Amino acid sequence: MHDDRRLVEARLKRVLDERVRPAVYPESVPLEVAVWHAPGEPVPVAEGLAAEPVPIEVGARWGAPWGTSWFRVTGTVPEAWAGKTVEALLDLGFDENMPGFQCEGLVYRPDGTPVKGLNPRNQWVRIGAPVEGGEEVRLHVEAASNPVILDYHPFLPTRLGDKETAGSEPQYTLTRMDLAVFDETVWQLVLDLEVLGELMHELPVDSARRWDIVRAVDRALDAVDLQDVNGSAAQARVRLETVLSEPAVPSAHRISAVGHAHIDSAWLWPLRETVRKVARTTSNMTALLEDEPEFVFAMSQAQQWAWVRDHRPEVWARVKKAVADGRFVPAGGMWVESDTNMPGSEAMARQFVHGKRFFLDEFGIENDEAWLPDTFGFAAGLPQIIKAAGSKWLLTQKISWSQTNKFPHHTFRWEGIDGTRIFTHFPPVDTYNCSMKGSEIAHAARNFKDKGLARHSLAPTGWGDGGGGTTREMIAKAARLRDLEGSATVVWESPAEFFEKAEAEYPEPPVWVGELYLELHRATLTSQARTKQGNRRSEHLLREAELWAATASVRVGFPYPYEELDRIWKTVLLHQFHDILPGSSIAWVHREARKTYERIAGELNAIVDAAQRALAGEGDRELVFNATPHTRAGIPAGGAGTPAAEGRTRITPRPAGGHLLDNGLLRIEIDGDGLVVSVHDIEADRETIAPGTAANLLQLHPDFPNMWDAWDVDEFYRHTVTDLTTADEVVADGETGVRIVRTFGSSRVTQLLSLAPGDRRLLLDTEVDWHETEKFLKLAFPLDVHAERYASETQFGHFHRPTHTNTSWEAAKFEACNHRFVHLEEPGWGVAVANDSTYGHDVTRTVRTDGDGGTTTTVRVSLLRAPRFPDPETDQGVHRFRHALIPGAGIGDAVREGWRINLPERRLTGAGEVTPLVTVDRDAVVITAVKLADDGSGDVVIRLHEAHGGRARATLTTGFEVADVVATDLLERPLTEIVARDGDRVTLRLRPFQLVTLRFRRAQSRS
């Protein structure tokens, strides 16, 4: 037989596009439309419904950027349509290629009842099925004219990302407002032909199944009367029945479809708009669940559920009913789908505490899975946090975006720094916006790495990013793919149902150890420095507020601020969302974040001050409060007292120009250009800085990635570098420091380099008045250390990365994340670099070809970037950073100095010393949280971990009378582990990096 498949394929495309799809709505009449444009921010629903609109015609422009317009549409169903299905088609000016990224609407009845959301792939509203004819139609649409930020030519700078700069030019053209007859038979024919046509393209040309489909489609198209599609559609469908009923082969890949709408809590829209996006999407999904009995929809991010509850109670009622029916599934057990690289230990734990507790409190549902499809890589400390929260599974797909190396597994166990293993799945469909296209389903089956050992994968199905969710077309396609020859099989299931099946069939999957590094979006560790500083400082202020408030509550009856701390924690957790903390949102988001962090700092400082004053009492003795988990200057961790004297520092002129700092522990040379040319460890008689190099070297690179400006830094940025070695001013400053001023381009840097008495660290305070564009600023420390790997702090510990690039996996990690420190060492001597607010860094090594032939290992801290998309003013203005160089540091010194630089001393006068609420006798055991139990019982909760990477036996002593102590999970629920207690002492034996939470019931509790 002649090969005519291309002829049939072309025929199918044209007939579908020009005849069959248009026949889904064979008759229509226009609706009357009027509009009211809300001034300023969105108004309550009642106000929008009550407003008096003015007429508007289809074809008119509407919608200033970030505005809200309330459309009223009215009409009458023609009497001649009696017995037919009728829908309103409401096209606000949609581009079907941009679901979630442009205008959207929520439809209401006149009484304020929400009907469903409108978006580019969901423009219909059911009026009746069937209608009687003559019905009066009246609907209201709350339409958001969100501007398109990420357009067809992406990453172009735009001022549309902030309402303060976006202007007032109308963004959209009202396109269609009609009542129309919906022909379900034709609609079903469209889906039949789409599914078969898409499957046909994925099958081998020489397969019999492909030719069966070609012939069936050809026969069906013969049955379509192009002048009467509606009258002939049923017969065309009959000719496809046989080919659609052939079952899948027994070995077919099995896909669990999970209804999904990944909604970024902020990104190319502000937080307030996400509140409405969630309401639109949940309205759509609850309506769809009522119509489709097999459909299951899952939504993560407890914050988004809370928004629906608090802002859209009428939608919340429908959501609660769907949850009770088991169809609308809370997923993930986190407050938001956060970044996992940068949040600190406690913050990462609290993501699960607040997320899981919300779903437990509202629905009695416990989440077993972490659900993070779009997060930009995963820190090595995360597995034990997931387990400590009572969960056991993880889902993500973002690693599929890696540019260099293909991850070798789709289902595996991920092992964290303490040895905890979590069953993990990467959906091989490689998207969290699956739409049930044949190409997606075939890709998932072909791409699945674990064939022969496992057969199940998951497909998050629905429009996401900006929301919208699953459509009725996706559900119709999934029904045809449930058991179809040539295709993977598809069934709707919850995440838990998928994981149970996947784990049961694959009990011994491969193991991946260490971080899940995304070989992309590396610049998110640096973009929007103020947002990152706000996060870091908020985390540490929360530690202080909980520590001092708990101590004061136990000691003097201070009222513990449960509600305030709960609210502030949730605000900080929200801003750790994976497009806020990483710096990849529009200007509006980061402008609001800065204000939020300022407000939080004020509230937390007020709590700390009140608690400390309550502890200090009345008196004139100067007290220093130490919030770090280590003794500092003789003051115990979590206590207050008078610091011990620490000697003195001498500043003398350097003969060759510059200054010399010496405190008897370190001797530091700063040359006439403000560069650190020597840091000598006097006790070890060891030089820190590599020969012929200088530290405190600011380096400027061009920074214009190939795409994803705020997200990416491409490796070629290193090809060009400008060393900023010229100083405008290098002068002694006070008794312990040297001040340096540099100017370059349009920017200015002012630094204070200081060596305090008794310190084994060089402190670098850097202020940058930054006015560069598309530049990357680094701070370099070339060290005379031979190290094949270095330690980088992460949640509840640290892990090691190589300093070499032996393989493509190592070379790809040219920009990485650390928390408070990086540390590298030779046996017996090491160096740490600590910071108070930066995350991005790189570490490289070279061998000196002249001189001693030794190794130079260079640590570079990433300070600032200046991308122009999506915020054209990213990081412009004044920034302040603090770093410390610690020679002779072991890993314990690195841990201690990391805490110290982030928790400065607080001084006030009082009556006398404050003894700690709890102490531990091993530096390796670090207490990360001291707080009162969240349930208001007055119990004291202590969270700690082994921080050095070894085994530790420690004794924890309480400064209050204990009635009982239990080990708990992160949610403060008792575990079965027995805690060895002797009065006020608890003995612990910890594995490397082991995380422990202890709950102490006081002999006399105060709530």
Side-chain angles (χ1 to χ4, degrees):
M1 179 172 285
H2 299 298
D3 183 354
D4 62 350
R5 62 186 170 80
R6 287 192 173 86
L7 192 66
V8 176
E9 291 165 2
R11 181 188 186 194
L12 172 61
K13 182 180 186 308
R14 186 175 186 192
V15 172
L16 261 176
D17 289 347
E18 297 184 21
R19 293 292 190 270
V20 183
R21 288 195 185 98
V24 171
Y25 293 103
E27 302 176 73
S28 64
V29 296
L31 289 160
E32 293 184 3
V33 189
V35 65
W36 174 72
H37 302 295
E41 285 294 277
V43 300
V45 173
E47 185 177 342
L49 294 174
E52 190 59 41
V54 297
I56 186 174
E57 299 291 331
V58 167
R61 299 282 290 169
W62 72 277
W66 307 113
T68 301
S69 298
W70 283 83
F71 291 96
R72 185 186 66 196
V73 295
T74 56
T76 304
V77 176
E79 298 285 353
W81 291 0
K84 297 180 179 180
T85 298
V86 175
E87 295 181 344
L89 300 181
L90 308 178
D91 186 344
L92 301 174
F94 297 125
D95 180 340
E96 289 194 358
N97 295 315
M98 290 189 176
F101 291 92
Q102 52 177 291
C103 60
E104 297 172 351
L106 182 55
V107 181
Y108 293 90
R109 295 189 179 92
D111 64 359
T113 303
V115 180
K116 68 187 295 285
L118 297 177
N119 59 55
R121 298 296 181 100
N122 212 323
Q123 304 175 20
W124 59 273
V125 179
R126 180 64 57 90
I127 301 301
V131 296
E132 296 180 357
E135 291 95 335
E136 295 297 323
V137 175
R138 185 185 181 96
L139 298 171
H140 298 261
V141 181
E142 181 191 16
S145 50
N146 303 329
V148 176
I149 306 294
L150 191 68
D151 214 331
Y152 286 99
H153 188 163
F155 317 120
L156 290 180
T158 175
R159 297 286 177 179
L160 291 171
D162 194 329
K163 65 176 182 178
E164 294 185 353
T165 60
S168 58
E169 185 69 21
Q171 299 291 293
Y172 297 100
T173 300
L174 199 62
T175 301
R176 185 177 187 182
M177 293 277 165
D178 289 346
L179 284 178
V181 171
F182 174 71
D183 189 329
E184 185 171 357
T185 302
V186 176
W187 181 80
Q188 296 284 5
L189 176 61
V190 170
L191 275 301
D192 290 344
L193 292 171
E194 284 185 353
V195 166
L196 290 172
E198 290 164 3
L199 175 59
M200 181 170 59
H201 280 285
E202 300 303 323
L203 295 170
V205 173
D206 57 359
S207 70
R209 176 61 171 166
R210 179 161 181 163
W211 284 98
D212 287 345
I213 295 173
V214 168
R215 295 298 165 227
V217 167
D218 207 23
R219 290 192 297 270
L221 294 178
D222 288 342
V224 175
D225 183 342
L226 299 182
Q227 277 66 52
D228 185 15
V229 173
N230 302 89
S232 57
Q235 182 57 37
R237 293 199 71 206
V238 169
R239 297 190 178 187
L240 296 174
E241 286 177 353
T242 299
V243 76
L244 281 169
S245 62
E246 292 293 337
V249 297
S251 61
H253 185 67
R254 298 169 186 174
I255 293 177
S256 297
V258 177
H260 185 238
H262 170 70
I263 304 177
D264 287 314
S265 290
W267 180 27
L268 305 181
W269 44 86
L271 288 167
R272 66 91 153 142
E273 192 55 32
T274 313
V275 175
R276 302 201 296 176
K277 282 178 174 286
V278 175
R280 296 173 201 128
T281 297
T282 52
S283 294
N284 265 353
M285 296 303 97
T286 51
L288 202 55
L289 287 166
E290 293 174 0
D291 296 336
E292 303 290 346
E294 294 187 354
F295 177 49
V296 176
F297 182 78
M299 190 170 86
S300 68
Q301 306 191 72
Q303 171 68 87
Q304 295 188 0
W305 291 73
W307 279 335
V308 179
R309 181 196 63 190
D310 297 342
H311 296 275
R312 288 289 195 268
E314 65 281 2
V315 180
W316 180 246
R318 290 164 54 176
V319 169
K320 287 188 70 174
K321 180 182 182 303
V323 172
D325 293 340
R327 309 279 307 290
F328 200 125
V329 181
M334 296 176 67
W335 190 247
V336 295
E337 290 182 13
S338 72
D339 179 80
T340 75
N341 286 313
M342 291 176 281
S345 302
E346 273 305 305
M348 200 73 255
R350 304 299 175 96
Q351 286 286 353
F352 288 90
V353 168
H354 287 284
K356 295 195 75 168
R357 189 172 287 147
F358 180 90
F359 293 136
L360 282 165
D361 291 347
E362 293 291 340
F363 307 113
I365 290 175
E366 173 98 11
N367 295 104
D368 287 328
E369 76 287 334
W371 183 273
L372 293 164
D374 192 32
T375 296
F376 309 152
F378 298 87
L382 187 58
Q384 75 163 331
I385 298 174
I386 294 173
K387 182 178 179 181
S391 297
K392 57 186 178 181
W393 302 315
L394 169 66
L395 177 134
T396 183
Q397 70 86 39
K398 198 68 173 188
I399 301 298
S400 69
W401 286 39
S402 286
Q403 289 180 317
T404 305
N405 298 285
K406 189 77 171 175
F407 196 80
H409 317 296
H410 281 108
T411 302
F412 60 99
R413 291 199 188 276
W414 177 30
E415 181 178 319
I417 57 175
D418 74 318
T420 298
R421 292 181 175 181
I422 294 295
F423 189 83
T424 302
H425 181 67
F426 291 170
V429 71
D430 282 350
T431 179
Y432 50 77
N433 292 326
C434 177
S435 61
M436 285 291 140
K437 285 184 180 178
S439 57
E440 294 169 337
I441 302 305
H443 175 75
R446 284 194 299 264
N447 189 40
F448 188 55
K449 299 290 186 185
D450 303 286
K451 297 183 187 76
L453 297 168
R455 193 177 293 169
H456 282 81
S457 73
L458 186 148
T461 302
W463 299 116
D465 290 314
T470 316
T471 65
R472 62 182 178 184
E473 288 78 14
M474 296 175 194
I475 295 173
K477 285 189 171 186
R480 289 159 173 80
L481 296 171
R482 185 180 184 90
D483 190 14
L484 182 63
E485 184 186 355
S487 172
T489 64
V490 176
V491 61
W492 294 103
E493 291 185 308
S494 69
E497 288 171 325
F498 160 75
F499 273 110
E500 287 167 356
K501 290 180 179 178
E503 194 168 21
E505 78 168 359
Y506 205 8
E508 296 297 332
V511 176
W512 182 270
V513 178
E515 69 180 327
L516 294 170
Y517 179 91
L518 177 63
E519 296 170 355
L520 192 74
H521 293 359
R522 302 168 181 90
T524 57
L525 303 174
T526 305
S527 296
Q528 298 288 359
R530 293 186 190 89
T531 299
K532 291 170 171 57
Q533 289 179 334
N535 174 74
R536 177 76 69 84
R537 290 164 187 172
S538 296
E539 288 180 351
H540 287 84
L541 282 168
L542 277 160
R543 171 191 170 80
E544 289 191 86
E546 289 183 338
L547 167 65
W548 301 122
T551 304
S553 176
V554 172
R555 291 281 159 72
V556 298
F558 180 80
Y560 192 79
Y562 291 101
E563 293 183 1
E564 293 92 330
L565 290 172
D566 181 80
R567 172 179 51 79
I568 293 170
W569 262 119
K570 288 173 179 174
T571 302
V572 172
L573 299 178
L574 167 59
H575 286 79
Q576 291 177 340
F577 180 76
H578 66 252
D579 277 307
I580 303 179
L581 179 54
S584 47
S585 289
I586 55 174
W588 188 347
V589 173
H590 293 288
R591 173 172 55 81
E592 287 190 332
R594 290 192 292 273
K595 293 180 180 178
T596 298
Y597 286 130
E598 289 173 4
R599 174 177 53 80
I600 285 172
E603 292 180 287
L604 291 173
N605 278 314
I607 292 172
V608 170
D609 182 68
Q612 289 182 341
R613 290 187 183 281
L615 286 165
E618 295 295 329
D620 57 5
R621 180 176 174 182
E622 185 179 39
L623 297 176
V624 173
F625 281 76
N626 174 19
T628 75
H630 306 93
T631 298
R632 180 161 69 183
I635 301 172
T642 303
E646 295 285 358
R648 62 185 294 264
T649 298
R650 292 183 301 158
I651 304 180
T652 57
R654 180 172 175 267
H659 300 81
L660 192 149
L661 306 179
D662 191 330
N663 68 355
L665 300 172
L666 298 178
R667 185 169 59 249
I668 298 169
E669 293 187 48
I670 302 170
D671 72 10
D673 292 316
L675 301 174
V676 178
V677 293
S678 175
V679 177
H680 193 77
D681 181 343
I682 295 173
E683 181 182 356
D685 192 21
R686 173 74 183 256
E687 177 55 50
T688 306
I689 308 302
T693 68
N696 190 41
L697 175 63
L698 290 164
Q699 296 183 302
L700 193 65
H701 296 270
D703 185 17
F704 190 62
N706 288 342
M707 58 191 304
W708 297 108
D709 295 38
W711 296 255
D712 282 358
V713 56
D714 291 327
E715 192 275 338
F716 54 73
Y717 88 92
R718 292 180 170 182
H719 297 175
T720 306
V721 61
T722 301
D723 292 342
L724 304 178
T725 57
T726 302
D728 302 336
E729 185 178 306
V730 180
V731 297
D733 189 295
E735 298 180 354
T736 62
V738 174
R739 186 163 61 90
I740 303 150
V741 178
R742 305 183 196 279
T743 53
F744 60 94
S746 301
S747 302
R748 176 185 178 92
V749 176
T750 303
Q751 289 184 297
L752 178 64
L753 275 55
S754 57
L755 177 64
D759 265 7
R760 295 188 57 86
R761 64 175 186 171
L762 170 64
L763 199 59
L764 300 90
D765 287 288
T766 302
E767 178 183 284
V768 186
D769 190 3
W770 180 248
H771 297 284
E772 305 306 303
T773 300
E774 294 168 351
K775 295 289 192 297
F776 197 4
L777 184 64
K778 293 259 187 177
L779 178 62
F781 300 89
L783 306 173
D784 190 11
V785 177
H786 178 86
E788 294 185 357
R789 65 178 193 169
Y790 72 97
S792 173
E793 189 186 33
T794 188
Q795 293 99 1
F796 297 110
H798 60 268
F799 70 105
H800 292 92
R801 296 188 184 96
T803 60
H804 57 75
T805 55
N806 282 357
T807 71
S808 59
W809 293 87
E810 292 146 358
K813 296 181 180 181
F814 58 82
E815 184 78 5
C817 182
N818 68 282
H819 287 187
R820 288 169 292 221
F821 69 82
V822 295
H823 174 260
L824 58 158
E825 65 181 342
E826 298 171 0
W829 195 86
V831 182
V833 177
N835 72 82
D836 76 337
S837 59
T838 55
Y839 297 91
H841 71 277
D842 67 84
V843 178
T844 55
R845 67 199 299 262
T846 59
V847 173
R848 301 186 285 274
T849 56
D850 53 359
D852 65 355
T855 300
T856 299
T857 305
T858 301
V859 176
R860 297 200 310 162
V861 176
S862 303
L863 296 182
L864 291 165
R865 299 183 68 235
R868 301 178 66 209
F869 182 89
D871 177 3
E873 299 295 327
T874 301
D875 281 335
Q876 301 300 297
V878 176
H879 305 267
R880 295 176 180 86
F881 308 96
R882 173 170 281 193
H883 294 85
L885 178 68
I886 307 105
I891 192 66
D893 301 303
V895 173
R896 186 184 312 107
E897 292 297 338
W899 280 100
R900 181 184 177 195
I901 200 171
N902 281 273
L903 285 166
E905 299 170 345
R906 290 180 183 261
R907 296 175 180 267
L908 68 158
T909 57
E913 294 182 354
V914 177
T915 58
L917 200 59
V918 62
T919 60
V920 65
D921 66 348
R922 292 288 183 271
D923 257 9
V925 177
V926 169
I927 295 174
T928 61
V930 177
K931 60 189 290 294
L932 295 192
D934 292 340
D935 62 6
S937 63
D939 291 356
V940 176
V941 173
I942 308 295
R943 188 142 38 243
L944 52 84
H945 72 286
E946 195 289 319
H948 293 183
R951 301 226 172 219
R953 182 182 186 278
T955 299
L956 186 147
T957 304
T958 60
F960 56 92
E961 190 174 348
V962 175
D964 190 20
V965 59
V966 294
T968 74
D969 66 6
L970 293 179
L971 277 69
E972 302 169 6
R973 301 175 297 192
L975 301 174
T976 58
E977 299 170 21
I978 302 300
V979 180
R981 180 174 74 93
D982 181 10
D984 62 352
R985 297 189 176 191
V986 171
T987 301
L988 301 169
R989 295 180 183 273
L990 302 180
R991 301 185 309 274
F993 302 126
Q994 183 180 354
L995 164 65
V996 174
T997 304
L998 299 175
R999 178 169 179 155
F1000 294 86
R1001 184 165 58 88
R1002 293 152 55 196
Q1004 292 182 336
S1005 293
R1006 295 188 183 100
S1007 57

